Amino acid sequence: MKTFVTSAFLAVIGIAAVPAAQAGELWRATGLEQPESALFDAANNRIIVSNIVGNPGEADGNGYLSVVSLDGKTVTQHWTDGMDAPKGMTISGGKLYVADITKVRVVDLASGKLVASIAVPNAVFLNDMTSDSSGKVYVTDMLADTIYRIDGDRPELFVKDAMLASPNGVFVDGIRLIVASWGKGIKPDFSTAEPGGLLSVDIASKVVSPLPDAQKFADLDGVVAIGDTIYATAYMTGTLYRCHPGAAPEAVAHFKPGSADIGTDGKSILYVPLMNEGEVAALKLD
């Protein structure tokens, strides 16, 4: 696992870079260490960033969370220490939940103190997180075609389905989860035999359905929805896609490889972690 995950996430550094997006870019927060996720904390007017700092699959104790202001300045570099390789995050019930390999970390939002660690049985590589209106938390397991659900401190298998095809990003959209699939047949360089696409999981029935016109177009990482528009990142190419219902995905921004789990203010701004650059970019949407 260590060798596989390292090559999977870090080999892309050698891929030829494309120019960074300029149109709509508001700022970049710099000085971060492999930022994987950027979460907008509306109640506290800030952005929380997860830093992997090393092998994304190794329990090395190097990972931590940072706090960044809404104008891109680092407020607290080491806000929460004591993690391994933190990735996706979500807020529920006044607490911050963080995916960390095979555990979900729970952080006090007021102090940044790590208050609990929830072991997820049979987890392989927990990745992104989201939460629904009832306070339940969902976390993808990218290397197991699985999504877990956590109610309070109790993890349970929510859905396991080959159709999830290496589920990475996840976002609650009303009564469904939107899932960004990396794709099928992951190779040592993390390319795929078949690229991923966007899926919908009905929360009540747990039925997995492909979203029309958004299949097999990229190895997807992060995903968010604003209204009826879905935005997703492709880590390997650094592409940000916009998906409207009934239309093919459209590339709207290009970064160097390494764009990961995006966040949003829910209105008009996206926060894009650039893992290999140690930066988070804020983009103003059209």
Side-chain angles (χ1 to χ4, degrees):
M1 175 57 66
K2 176 180 177 181
T3 301
F4 175 76
V5 175
T6 302
S7 62
F9 278 84
L10 303 183
V12 294
I13 296 174
I15 298 175
V18 297
Q22 296 298 325
E25 189 168 312
L26 299 174
W27 49 254
R28 289 200 184 192
T30 61
L32 300 162
E33 298 183 271
Q34 287 173 268
E36 204 281 338
S37 184
L39 177 70
F40 177 66
D41 178 5
N44 295 289
N45 291 310
R46 62 188 178 182
I47 303 154
I48 302 172
V49 179
S50 60
N51 298 266
I52 290 177
V53 199
N55 186 332
E58 185 174 349
D60 53 17
N62 291 337
Y64 65 92
L65 307 181
S66 299
V67 174
V68 173
S69 67
L70 297 186
D71 60 357
K73 305 296 191 299
T74 298
V75 177
T76 308
Q77 183 83 24
H78 284 262
W79 184 59
T80 306
D81 287 308
M83 298 186 183
D84 294 314
K87 300 177 184 68
M89 300 174 286
T90 193
I91 294 171
S92 178
K95 297 177 182 178
L96 175 69
Y97 292 78
V98 187
D100 195 359
I101 309 178
T102 60
K103 300 180 178 68
V104 171
R105 311 288 193 175
V106 185
V107 176
D108 178 73
L109 273 174
S111 65
K113 181 180 178 181
L114 180 61
V115 295
S117 293
I118 302 170
V120 179
N122 303 313
V124 179
F125 194 74
L126 302 179
N127 201 306
D128 197 18
M129 303 196 73
T130 191
S131 54
D132 64 22
S133 58
S134 70
K136 293 182 178 64
V137 170
Y138 302 82
V139 57
T140 58
D141 191 336
M142 182 180 175
L143 299 183
D145 291 343
T146 298
I147 299 173
Y148 293 95
R149 180 165 62 188
I150 298 173
D151 187 359
D153 60 356
R154 299 183 304 277
E156 64 176 358
L157 178 66
F158 178 66
V159 61
K160 183 177 180 66
D161 193 319
M163 283 185 63
L164 292 173
S166 306
N168 193 315
V170 63
F171 189 85
V172 164
D173 182 40
I175 60 173
R176 66 177 181 172
L177 303 179
I178 298 173
V179 179
S181 160
W182 193 285
K184 296 181 179 179
I186 297 178
K187 301 174 184 179
D189 65 354
F190 232 46
S191 63
T192 55
E194 180 180 291
L198 294 173
L199 306 164
S200 172
V201 181
D202 183 89
I203 292 176
S205 69
K206 304 182 183 180
V207 171
V208 181
S209 305
L211 291 187
D213 305 306
Q215 296 304 300
K216 302 179 183 179
F217 68 96
D219 301 325
L220 298 179
D221 197 306
V223 64
V224 297
I226 301 176
D228 64 355
T229 303
I230 299 171
Y231 295 87
T233 52
Y235 182 97
M236 297 290 282
T237 62
T239 308
L240 173 67
Y241 288 95
R242 177 170 58 200
C243 303
H244 292 299
E250 173 191 11
V252 294
H254 295 279
F255 300 93
K256 294 180 181 179
S259 54
D261 289 329
I262 53 178
T264 180
D265 67 352
K267 299 175 183 177
S268 61
I269 298 177
L270 297 180
Y271 303 103
V272 185
L274 306 175
M275 234 176 97
N276 297 330
E277 305 304 300
E279 300 176 344
V280 170
L283 296 182
K284 178 74 172 179
L285 301 174
D286 296 334

